[in-house]
CSV table of all heavy atoms in Angstrom, one decimal:
chain,number,residue,atom,x,y,z
A,374,VAL,N,17.5,25.5,11.3
A,374,VAL,CA,16.8,25.0,12.5
A,374,VAL,C,17.0,26.0,13.6
A,374,VAL,O,18.1,26.5,14.0
A,374,VAL,CB,17.5,23.7,13.0
A,374,VAL,CG1,16.9,23.1,14.2
A,374,VAL,CG2,17.6,22.7,12.0
A,375,LEU,N,15.9,26.7,13.9
A,375,LEU,CA,15.8,27.8,14.9
A,375,LEU,C,15.6,27.2,16.3
A,375,LEU,O,15.0,26.1,16.4
A,375,LEU,CB,14.7,28.8,14.5
A,375,LEU,CG,14.9,29.3,13.1
A,375,LEU,CD1,13.6,30.1,12.8
A,375,LEU,CD2,15.9,30.2,13.0
A,376,PRO,N,15.9,27.9,17.2
A,376,PRO,CA,15.7,27.5,18.7
A,376,PRO,C,14.2,27.3,18.9
A,376,PRO,O,13.3,27.9,18.4
A,376,PRO,CB,16.2,28.8,19.5
A,376,PRO,CG,17.1,29.5,18.6
A,376,PRO,CD,16.5,29.4,17.3
A,377,GLU,N,14.0,26.4,19.8
A,377,GLU,CA,12.6,26.1,20.2
A,377,GLU,C,11.9,27.4,20.9
A,377,GLU,O,12.6,28.0,21.7
A,377,GLU,CB,12.5,25.0,21.2
A,377,GLU,CG,11.1,24.5,21.6
A,377,GLU,CD,11.0,23.3,22.5
A,377,GLU,OE1,12.1,23.1,23.1
A,377,GLU,OE2,10.1,22.5,22.5
A,378,GLY,N,10.7,27.6,20.3
A,378,GLY,CA,10.0,28.7,20.8
A,378,GLY,C,10.1,30.0,20.0
A,378,GLY,O,9.6,31.0,20.3
A,379,SER,N,10.9,29.9,18.8
A,379,SER,CA,11.0,31.0,17.8
A,379,SER,C,9.6,31.1,17.2
A,379,SER,O,8.9,30.2,16.8
A,379,SER,CB,12.0,30.7,16.8
A,379,SER,OG,13.2,30.4,17.4
A,380,LYS,N,9.2,32.4,17.0
A,380,LYS,CA,8.0,32.9,16.3
A,380,LYS,C,8.0,33.7,15.3
A,380,LYS,O,9.2,34.4,15.1
A,380,LYS,CB,7.0,33.3,17.5
A,380,LYS,CG,6.7,32.3,18.6
A,380,LYS,CD,5.8,33.0,19.6
A,380,LYS,CE,5.5,32.0,20.7
A,380,LYS,NZ,4.6,32.7,21.8
A,381,TYR,N,7.0,34.0,14.5
A,381,TYR,CA,6.9,35.0,13.4
A,381,TYR,C,8.1,35.0,12.5
A,381,TYR,O,9.0,35.8,12.3
A,381,TYR,CB,6.8,36.4,14.1
A,381,TYR,CG,5.8,36.6,15.1
A,381,TYR,CD1,6.1,36.7,16.5
A,381,TYR,CD2,4.4,36.5,14.8
A,381,TYR,CE1,5.1,36.8,17.4
A,381,TYR,CE2,3.5,36.6,15.8
A,381,TYR,CZ,3.8,36.8,17.1
A,381,TYR,OH,2.8,36.9,18.0
A,382,LEU,N,8.1,33.7,11.8
A,382,LEU,CA,9.2,33.5,10.8
A,382,LEU,C,9.0,34.1,9.5
A,382,LEU,O,8.0,34.1,9.1
A,382,LEU,CB,9.4,31.9,10.7
A,382,LEU,CG,9.3,31.2,12.0
A,382,LEU,CD1,9.6,29.5,11.8
A,382,LEU,CD2,10.3,31.5,13.0
A,383,SER,N,10.1,34.6,8.9
A,383,SER,CA,10.0,35.2,7.5
A,383,SER,C,11.5,35.0,6.9
A,383,SER,O,12.4,34.9,7.7
A,383,SER,CB,9.6,36.6,7.5
A,383,SER,OG,10.6,37.4,8.3
A,384,VAL,N,11.5,35.0,5.6
A,384,VAL,CA,12.7,34.7,4.8
A,384,VAL,C,12.8,35.7,3.8
A,384,VAL,O,11.9,36.2,3.1
A,384,VAL,CB,12.6,33.3,4.2
A,384,VAL,CG1,13.9,33.0,3.4
A,384,VAL,CG2,12.5,32.2,5.4
A,385,SER,N,14.1,36.2,3.5
A,385,SER,CA,14.4,37.1,2.4
A,385,SER,C,15.6,36.5,1.6
A,385,SER,O,16.7,36.3,2.2
A,385,SER,CB,14.8,38.5,3.0
A,385,SER,OG,15.2,39.4,1.9
A,386,THR,N,15.4,36.3,0.3
A,386,THR,CA,16.3,35.6,-0.5
A,386,THR,C,16.6,36.4,-1.7
A,386,THR,O,15.7,37.2,-2.2
A,386,THR,CB,16.0,34.3,-0.9
A,386,THR,OG1,14.7,34.2,-1.6
A,386,THR,CG2,15.9,33.4,0.3
A,387,PRO,N,17.8,36.5,-2.3
A,387,PRO,CA,18.1,37.3,-3.3
A,387,PRO,C,17.7,36.7,-4.7
A,387,PRO,O,17.6,37.4,-5.7
A,387,PRO,CB,19.6,37.4,-3.4
A,387,PRO,CG,20.1,36.1,-2.7
A,387,PRO,CD,19.0,35.9,-1.7
A,388,PHE,N,17.2,35.6,-4.7
A,388,PHE,CA,16.5,35.0,-5.9
A,388,PHE,C,15.5,33.9,-5.5
A,388,PHE,O,15.3,33.7,-4.3
A,388,PHE,CB,17.6,34.1,-6.7
A,388,PHE,CG,18.6,33.4,-5.8
A,388,PHE,CD1,18.2,32.2,-5.3
A,388,PHE,CD2,19.9,34.0,-5.4
A,388,PHE,CE1,19.1,31.5,-4.3
A,388,PHE,CE2,20.7,33.3,-4.6
A,388,PHE,CZ,20.3,32.1,-4.0
A,389,ALA,N,14.7,33.5,-6.4
A,389,ALA,CA,13.6,32.5,-6.1
A,389,ALA,C,13.9,31.3,-5.7
A,389,ALA,O,14.9,30.7,-6.3
A,389,ALA,CB,12.6,32.4,-7.4
A,390,VAL,N,13.3,30.8,-4.6
A,390,VAL,CA,13.5,29.5,-4.1
A,390,VAL,C,12.2,28.8,-3.6
A,390,VAL,O,11.2,29.6,-3.4
A,390,VAL,CB,14.4,29.5,-2.8
A,390,VAL,CG1,15.9,29.9,-3.3
A,390,VAL,CG2,14.0,30.3,-1.7
A,391,GLN,N,12.2,27.5,-3.4
A,391,GLN,CA,11.0,26.9,-2.9
A,391,GLN,C,11.2,26.8,-1.4
A,391,GLN,O,12.1,26.4,-0.9
A,391,GLN,CB,10.9,25.4,-3.5
A,391,GLN,CG,9.5,24.7,-3.0
A,391,GLN,CD,9.6,23.3,-3.5
A,391,GLN,OE1,10.5,22.9,-4.4
A,391,GLN,NE2,8.9,22.5,-2.9
A,392,GLN,N,10.0,27.2,-0.7
A,392,GLN,CA,10.2,27.4,0.7
A,392,GLN,C,9.2,26.5,1.4
A,392,GLN,O,8.1,26.4,1.0
A,392,GLN,CB,9.9,28.9,1.2
A,392,GLN,CG,9.9,29.0,2.6
A,392,GLN,CD,9.7,30.5,3.0
A,392,GLN,OE1,10.0,31.4,2.2
A,392,GLN,NE2,9.3,30.8,4.3
A,393,GLU,N,9.6,25.8,2.5
A,393,GLU,CA,8.7,25.0,3.3
A,393,GLU,C,9.0,25.2,4.7
A,393,GLU,O,10.0,25.8,5.2
A,393,GLU,CB,8.9,23.4,2.9
A,393,GLU,CG,8.6,23.1,1.4
A,393,GLU,CD,8.9,21.6,1.2
A,393,GLU,OE1,9.4,21.0,2.1
A,393,GLU,OE2,8.8,21.2,-0.1
A,394,GLU,N,8.2,24.7,5.6
A,394,GLU,CA,8.5,24.6,7.1
A,394,GLU,C,8.2,23.3,7.7
A,394,GLU,O,7.2,22.6,7.3
A,394,GLU,CB,7.6,25.7,7.8
A,394,GLU,CG,7.9,27.1,7.4
A,394,GLU,CD,7.2,28.1,8.4
A,394,GLU,OE1,6.5,27.7,9.4
A,394,GLU,OE2,7.1,29.4,8.0
A,395,GLU,N,9.0,22.9,8.6
A,395,GLU,CA,8.8,21.6,9.3
A,395,GLU,C,9.2,21.7,10.8
A,395,GLU,O,9.7,22.9,11.1
A,395,GLU,CB,9.6,20.5,8.5
A,395,GLU,CG,11.1,20.7,8.5
A,395,GLU,CD,11.8,19.6,7.7
A,395,GLU,OE1,11.1,19.2,6.6
A,395,GLU,OE2,12.8,19.3,8.0
A,396,ILE,N,9.1,20.7,11.5
A,396,ILE,CA,9.5,20.6,12.9
A,396,ILE,C,10.6,19.6,13.1
A,396,ILE,O,10.5,18.5,12.5
A,396,ILE,CB,8.2,20.4,13.8
A,396,ILE,CG1,7.3,21.5,13.6
A,396,ILE,CG2,8.8,20.1,15.3
A,396,ILE,CD1,7.7,22.8,14.1
A,397,LYS,N,11.6,19.9,14.0
A,397,LYS,CA,12.7,19.0,14.3
A,397,LYS,C,12.7,18.7,15.7
A,397,LYS,O,12.8,19.7,16.6
A,397,LYS,CB,14.0,19.5,13.8
A,397,LYS,CG,15.2,18.5,14.1
A,397,LYS,CD,16.5,19.0,13.7
A,397,LYS,CE,17.7,18.1,14.1
A,397,LYS,NZ,19.0,18.7,13.7
A,398,MET,N,12.5,17.6,16.2
A,398,MET,CA,12.7,17.2,17.6
A,398,MET,C,14.1,17.0,18.0
A,398,MET,O,14.8,16.2,17.3
A,398,MET,CB,11.9,16.1,18.0
A,398,MET,CG,10.3,16.3,17.7
A,398,MET,SD,9.6,17.7,18.7
A,398,MET,CE,10.0,17.0,20.4
A,399,SER,N,14.6,17.6,19.1
A,399,SER,CA,16.0,17.4,19.5
A,399,SER,C,15.9,17.0,21.1
A,399,SER,O,14.8,17.0,21.6
A,399,SER,CB,16.9,18.5,19.3
A,399,SER,OG,18.2,18.2,19.6
A,400,HIS,N,17.1,16.9,21.6
A,400,HIS,CA,17.2,16.6,23.0
A,400,HIS,C,16.5,17.7,23.9
A,400,HIS,O,16.6,18.9,23.7
A,400,HIS,CB,18.7,16.3,23.5
A,400,HIS,CG,19.5,17.5,23.1
A,400,HIS,ND1,20.1,17.6,21.9
A,400,HIS,CD2,20.0,18.6,23.8
A,400,HIS,CE1,20.9,18.8,21.7
A,400,HIS,NE2,20.7,19.4,23.0
A,401,LEU,N,15.7,17.3,24.9
A,401,LEU,CA,15.1,18.1,25.9
A,401,LEU,C,14.0,19.0,25.2
A,401,LEU,O,13.6,20.0,25.8
A,401,LEU,CB,16.1,18.9,26.7
A,401,LEU,CG,17.1,18.1,27.6
A,401,LEU,CD1,18.1,19.1,28.3
A,401,LEU,CD2,16.4,17.2,28.5
A,402,ASP,N,13.6,18.7,24.0
A,402,ASP,CA,12.6,19.6,23.3
A,402,ASP,C,11.2,19.1,23.7
A,402,ASP,O,10.9,17.9,23.9
A,402,ASP,CB,12.7,19.5,21.8
A,402,ASP,CG,13.9,20.2,21.2
A,402,ASP,OD1,14.5,21.0,22.1
A,402,ASP,OD2,14.3,20.0,20.1
A,403,ILE,N,10.3,20.1,23.9
A,403,ILE,CA,8.8,19.8,24.2
A,403,ILE,C,8.0,19.9,23.0
A,403,ILE,O,7.3,19.0,22.7
A,403,ILE,CB,8.4,20.7,25.3
A,403,ILE,CG1,9.2,20.6,26.6
A,403,ILE,CG2,6.9,20.5,25.6
A,403,ILE,CD1,8.9,21.5,27.7
A,404,PHE,N,8.1,20.9,22.2
A,404,PHE,CA,7.2,21.2,21.1
A,404,PHE,C,8.0,21.1,19.9
A,404,PHE,O,7.4,20.9,18.8
A,404,PHE,CB,6.6,22.6,21.1
A,404,PHE,CG,5.9,23.0,22.4
A,404,PHE,CD1,6.5,23.6,23.3
A,404,PHE,CD2,4.6,22.3,22.6
A,404,PHE,CE1,5.7,24.0,24.6
A,404,PHE,CE2,3.9,22.5,23.8
A,404,PHE,CZ,4.6,23.4,24.9
A,405,GLY,N,9.3,21.0,19.9
A,405,GLY,CA,10.1,20.9,18.6
A,405,GLY,C,10.7,22.2,18.2
A,405,GLY,O,10.2,23.2,18.5
A,406,ARG,N,11.8,22.1,17.3
A,406,ARG,CA,12.3,23.3,16.8
A,406,ARG,C,11.8,23.7,15.5
A,406,ARG,O,11.8,22.8,14.6
A,406,ARG,CB,13.8,23.2,16.8
A,406,ARG,CG,14.4,22.8,18.2
A,406,ARG,CD,15.9,22.7,18.2
A,406,ARG,NE,16.4,22.2,19.4
A,406,ARG,CZ,17.5,22.2,19.9
A,406,ARG,NH1,18.6,22.6,19.0
A,406,ARG,NH2,17.9,21.7,21.0
A,407,PRO,N,11.4,24.9,15.1
A,407,PRO,CA,10.9,25.2,13.8
A,407,PRO,C,12.0,25.2,12.9
A,407,PRO,O,13.2,25.6,13.2
A,407,PRO,CB,10.3,26.6,14.0
A,407,PRO,CG,11.0,27.2,15.2
A,407,PRO,CD,11.2,25.9,16.1
A,408,VAL,N,11.7,24.7,11.6
A,408,VAL,CA,12.8,24.5,10.7
A,408,VAL,C,12.3,25.1,9.3
A,408,VAL,O,11.2,24.9,8.8
A,408,VAL,CB,13.2,23.1,10.3
A,408,VAL,CG1,14.3,23.0,9.2
A,408,VAL,CG2,13.6,22.5,11.6
Side-chain angles (χ1 to χ4, degrees):
V374 183
L375 302 173
E377 187 177 25
S379 300
K380 300 178 180 178
Y381 308 110
L382 314 181
S383 60
V384 180
S385 174
T386 58
F388 41 79
V390 296
Q391 180 183 348
Q392 180 177 338
E393 301 174 1
E394 291 188 16
E395 59 185 37
I396 298 295
K397 178 184 178 180
M398 297 299 298
S399 186
H400 52 276
L401 299 179
D402 285 347
I403 299 176
F404 306 105
R406 306 184 184 190
V408 181

